[in-house]
């Protein structure tokens, strides 16, 4: 997927696919070194790994559980609502039951 020059697995921006695929590569690098076999034979993969690692982890700040719940309740999602007409159980966006 990376041999066509794209920056991330699904295009020019990172996605959940990148984060999921990154974990096994990260594990191998932690255990056996950043250029360990078989990783050393895949330069596009290693470049992609550096781009995913550069995303970072955010900043941690201490807060009480009440503040965390308040922040979650008051947050606005950036996710777009997309209905999947092929959903086998027919769920619709916003459906709770």
């Amino acid at each position: 997927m990376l041999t066509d020059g794209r920056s991330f697995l699904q295009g020019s921006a990172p996605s959940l696919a990148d984060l999921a695929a990154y974990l096994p590569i990260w594990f191998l690098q932690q255990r056996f070194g950043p250029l360990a076999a078989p990783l050393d034979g895949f330069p596009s993969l290693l470049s992609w790994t550096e781009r995913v690692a550069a995303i970072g982890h955010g900043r941690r700040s201490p807060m009480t559980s009440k503040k965390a719940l308040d922040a979650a309740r008051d947050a606005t999602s950036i996710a777009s609502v997309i209905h999947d007409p092929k959903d086998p159980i027919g769920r619709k966006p916003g459906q709770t039951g």
Side-chain angles (χ1 to χ4, degrees):
M1 293 178 78
L2 299 167
T3 58
D4 64 1
R6 66 181 80 182
S7 295
F8 296 97
L9 294 177
Q10 295 184 323
S12 60
S15 69
L16 184 57
D18 294 285
L19 301 178
Y22 176 74
L23 183 61
I25 306 304
W26 173 86
F27 179 79
L28 285 171
Q29 289 180 322
Q30 295 301 306
R31 291 286 285 163
F32 305 108
L35 297 176
L39 301 177
D40 58 343
F42 298 96
S44 295
L45 180 69
L46 294 174
S47 296
W48 166 81
T49 302
E50 291 173 6
R51 288 190 294 279
V52 175
I55 293 169
H57 300 288
R59 271 190 235 149
R60 183 177 179 193
S61 59
M63 72 170 52
T64 66
S65 56
K66 180 179 180 342
K67 281 190 176 185
L69 290 171
D70 290 344
R73 183 193 64 240
D74 298 338
T76 302
S77 175
I78 61 170
S80 58
V81 177
I82 299 172
H83 171 64
D84 180 2
K86 295 181 182 178
D87 184 334
I89 58 174
R91 294 192 53 90
K92 308 242 182 315
Q95 184 176 343
T96 59

